[in-house]
Amino acid sequence: MTVSKMINKVRGSDVWPVLAPLVVGAAYAWWRYHRFSFENSLILIVVVAVVKWALDLITQNHRYDQSLITLSWIADVILPYLLLVAQLVVNTNFALSLGFLLTWFGVAWPLILLSVAVRLAKNVRVVRAEEISDPTGAIKASSRWIRPLFLTLPFLAYGEILLYTLSGYMPVLSWAMIVLFPLVLAQALAVGLESDLDRLADLPARNLFLTAGAMVLVLVISSS
């Protein structure tokens, strides 16, 4: 495997909905509160990785279980927030309060939306496959909301980043992340409109990787 293919595989991995909030949480703790515990962060990452591996095994063995599918959707929505909160707690040792939880929810919001996009992309691709294979253009009723919702998520994610930058909960340097938005949006559009479905399967995960990586970079640079 070439270096380029390895990098693409890493960027498109489905581990980012779990790993991204852990890394961003650690960086945010260092920037905003000037606290960071390498040992606590490492233990949390290892525990979460083991749990994810176990859940993936269960899901693969019961992939048609509707209750597991529903649980997986719920996890995609709340897990990034819970992981970011956990990372901040183990690094800062703060007692949880409503103020902290609301502030941290705003930090996690872009990651939540882009994690949902990773999941929703599978449904978008199903709709695209139906459109391609059906000459009459008949598609499921769900396609009326799946694609618009999917394409709205990048706007909501980056809008929140800009809002938090204006309010002071993210460093001023976060404004620079706007340069990533055209790429993130273009990749989202590609999933919704392109016919080469297999080639584009990992683009939503790449969007999450790029956004989380940029957030970490901004937070680390602003901490120095």
Side-chain angles (χ1 to χ4, degrees):
M1 181 181 293
T2 65
V3 174
S4 177
K5 289 183 178 180
M6 186 177 299
I7 293 175
N8 287 336
K9 187 174 181 62
V10 169
R11 288 189 304 177
S13 173
D14 62 356
V15 75
W16 290 113
V18 171
L19 186 58
L22 292 173
V23 179
V24 171
Y28 193 79
W30 178 247
W31 170 73
R32 186 164 178 80
Y33 308 111
H34 306 291
R35 299 188 181 190
F36 176 72
S37 170
F38 177 80
E39 295 82 2
N40 290 346
S41 296
L42 182 60
I43 291 172
L44 180 60
I45 290 174
V46 171
V47 169
V48 170
V50 171
V51 172
K52 175 173 171 51
W53 174 75
L55 289 176
D56 285 346
L57 284 180
I58 295 173
T59 303
Q60 289 174 6
N61 293 331
H62 303 82
R63 65 182 63 184
Y64 300 111
D65 188 325
Q66 188 59 44
S67 61
L68 278 179
I69 294 174
T70 302
L71 181 61
S72 181
W73 263 102
I74 295 174
D76 285 340
V77 174
I78 66 172
L79 192 57
Y81 174 56
L82 295 179
L83 291 175
L84 186 137
V85 168
Q87 186 69 289
L88 283 163
V89 169
V90 301
N91 276 285
T92 63
N93 293 319
F94 289 160
L96 291 179
S97 67
L98 181 60
F100 281 138
L101 292 176
L102 290 176
T103 298
W104 297 344
F105 181 80
V107 178
W109 183 242
L111 305 178
I112 293 172
L113 294 178
L114 295 178
S115 294
V116 170
V118 173
R119 165 74 61 169
L120 199 61
K122 299 175 183 178
N123 300 79
V124 174
R125 293 173 68 237
V126 168
V127 170
R128 288 292 299 129
E130 290 178 353
E131 290 179 345
I132 294 167
S133 61
D134 187 354
T136 66
I139 57 176
K140 292 181 179 179
S142 59
S143 66
R144 298 173 185 173
W145 63 267
I146 286 178
R147 190 182 300 168
L149 175 60
F150 177 78
L151 295 177
T152 301
L153 295 177
F155 289 96
L156 296 177
Y158 276 74
E160 173 69 8
I161 292 172
L162 295 180
L163 179 63
Y164 252 49
T165 304
L166 283 172
S167 60
Y169 291 111
M170 288 288 289
V172 176
L173 187 58
S174 299
W175 281 104
M177 289 183 61
I178 198 65
V179 301
L180 279 180
F181 180 72
L183 175 60
V184 170
L185 180 60
Q187 295 190 152
L189 287 170
V191 174
L193 304 176
E194 178 61 51
S195 60
D196 191 350
L197 302 177
D198 292 332
R199 182 174 65 85
L200 302 171
D202 63 348
L203 289 186
R206 290 190 186 190
N207 279 346
L208 178 57
F209 169 82
L210 288 172
T211 302
M215 290 178 71
V216 170
L217 184 62
V218 163
L219 291 166
V220 170
I221 292 176
S222 300
S223 300
S224 59

